[in-house]
Amino acid sequence: MGAHLEADTHRAFHNASMDSLRPAGAVVIGDLDDPHVEAVLQRLPRQATAVLDAATLPAALSRLSPLDSVVFDRSGQPVRLSRHVPARGWIRRLAPAGWDAGVELGGQAAARMAARMTTLAAVLRDAGLTWLCTVDALFTAENKIVQYRTAAALGVAAPATLVCGDPAVLAAELGEPFIIKPLGPGNFAGRDRSQHIVHAQEATGVALTGVDLLDAPFLAQRKLHARTHLRVVTVNDRAWTAELDATGLPLDWRQADEAHHAFTASTRWPAVEHDAVRLAKHLNTGFSCQDWIVDQAGPWFVDLNPGGQWLFLPESITEQVADSLAHWLQGI
């Protein structure tokens, strides 16, 4: 009898304590040093706004149970997440770049990181959180094959694409030269921990003879002769487009440093923006950064990133995107 009374007293104390917690208003998954995260946080109140990722989880998480999560907001106060106190969230990055650099697979550090990711995944799937893009939708939308399947289903033009281990088949079906690009991560760390970016590049069947194309599978695509590059950012039903003249640029414009600062805001592509919003909606991602290429035949969808970058675009676009993200997180 005494044990039951003690348990009931403890439960009543716990419930009163939990009920007194301030509910979270917005949850941002990302790194405080990320300028994209900072741009949105500048527009949100410090109280009731929580920021965490896999790296900062130990400091940001107070407690986690099957019924709720308690995290610390930006003012250092605990806030509660549960199905009874709904909040909104935006996932920028699950962990900062280089978070797992040098960690041995199967080692103790890798086990710690996996445990953090598992814990973070539980927080992300809290029933009280409404995400601009859920973690499951984010992983799905990042898959380029899934993106091109979606484009095909919606009737959105995209270059012919193939994953195949036979270079002769790639040449026959895509024409030569064709383009190869990563199907998985587009960057990796070298032995000295320096970062390497894998850019899209031209290839021919003969040049790839003897290469194991399925060891680390690459996408092969029909080459588009770009006249203009488009970067389209979507937040729910809204879209903004910036364009870049492709004249004199390499195949992958990211290889030209000057190109990163040469995009201009454009209102010339309403049909592209319409299709960009359709693609994002079909993939269940409320936010996306998309790359399109315009050749002599018109615009082609090339890539969608549900956690992409936009701050290199003109300020007239970046300010509106950050405003829209902050407004959505606040339910405005």
Side-chain angles (χ1 to χ4, degrees):
M1 181 72 176
H4 286 295
L5 179 60
E6 182 179 349
D8 289 342
T9 302
H10 174 75
R11 188 178 300 110
F13 175 80
H14 164 76
N15 289 340
S17 176
M18 293 301 292
D19 289 341
S20 65
L21 286 176
R22 176 194 298 271
V27 178
V28 175
I29 306 300
D31 183 359
L32 283 170
D33 291 330
D34 181 345
H36 294 79
V37 170
E38 182 183 7
V40 175
L41 292 180
Q42 288 176 352
R43 293 160 166 80
L44 296 173
R46 293 183 62 84
Q47 290 188 331
T49 298
V51 185
L52 67 153
D53 63 8
T56 59
L57 181 70
L61 178 66
S62 172
R63 51 164 280 153
L64 174 67
S65 81
L67 299 179
D68 54 34
S69 309
V70 177
V71 297
F72 294 103
D73 67 13
R74 296 190 65 216
S75 68
Q77 298 302 308
V79 291
R80 184 184 182 194
L81 307 171
S82 81
R83 67 174 63 252
H84 304 297
V85 282
R88 291 188 171 196
W90 168 52
I91 302 173
R92 162 64 180 158
R93 290 281 188 274
L94 296 179
W99 178 61
D100 56 353
V103 174
E104 179 184 356
L105 290 176
Q108 186 181 40
R112 288 199 302 270
M113 288 181 168
R116 287 195 195 181
M117 276 295 192
T118 300
T119 306
L120 182 62
V123 174
L124 293 174
R125 293 181 174 92
D126 193 293
L129 278 166
T130 299
W131 294 98
L132 188 59
C133 177
T134 68
V135 65
D136 300 299
L138 184 144
F139 286 141
T140 299
E142 285 181 334
N143 190 303
K144 291 182 175 62
I145 293 295
V146 173
Q147 294 176 21
Y148 293 127
R149 286 175 180 165
T150 302
L154 296 178
V156 174
T161 301
L162 192 60
V163 177
C164 179
D166 189 339
V169 172
L170 297 178
E173 294 201 20
L174 303 176
E176 292 187 299
F178 51 84
I179 305 302
I180 58 171
K181 61 176 65 173
L183 179 57
N187 63 286
F188 64 92
R191 293 184 181 275
D192 60 355
R193 299 192 180 184
S194 60
Q195 289 295 313
H196 301 267
I197 298 175
V198 184
H199 295 287
Q201 57 186 292
E202 290 185 2
T204 63
V206 171
L208 294 178
T209 300
V211 177
D212 187 349
L213 296 173
L214 297 180
D215 177 44
F218 271 65
L219 276 179
Q221 287 185 329
R222 185 183 302 278
K223 181 180 179 180
L224 300 174
H225 297 276
R227 292 182 173 181
T228 306
H229 294 284
L230 303 180
R231 184 76 160 188
V232 185
V233 185
T234 69
V235 179
N236 292 320
D237 292 328
R238 298 193 64 186
W240 300 264
T241 302
E243 63 178 66
L244 173 69
D245 185 351
T247 304
L249 292 179
L251 176 71
D252 190 328
W253 62 261
R254 296 175 302 170
Q255 291 180 276
D257 291 338
E258 67 275 12
H260 292 258
H261 311 286
F263 277 85
T264 58
S266 177
T267 59
R268 297 197 302 148
W269 310 98
V272 169
E273 293 181 353
H274 174 74
D275 284 340
V277 169
R278 291 172 65 216
L279 283 166
K281 280 190 173 183
H282 201 82
L283 289 166
N284 297 312
T285 172
F287 169 84
S288 74
C289 290
Q290 301 182 26
D291 291 316
W292 291 64
I293 285 178
V294 182
D295 69 0
Q296 62 179 4
W300 301 80
F301 166 71
V302 177
D303 182 67
L304 181 150
N305 189 336
Q309 301 182 31
W310 76 87
L311 288 181
F312 64 90
L313 301 177
E315 187 176 349
S316 60
I317 292 178
T318 62
E319 293 291 308
Q320 293 185 69
V321 171
D323 284 344
S324 293
L325 288 169
H327 289 165
W328 183 86
L329 286 167
Q330 295 177 90
I332 298 175

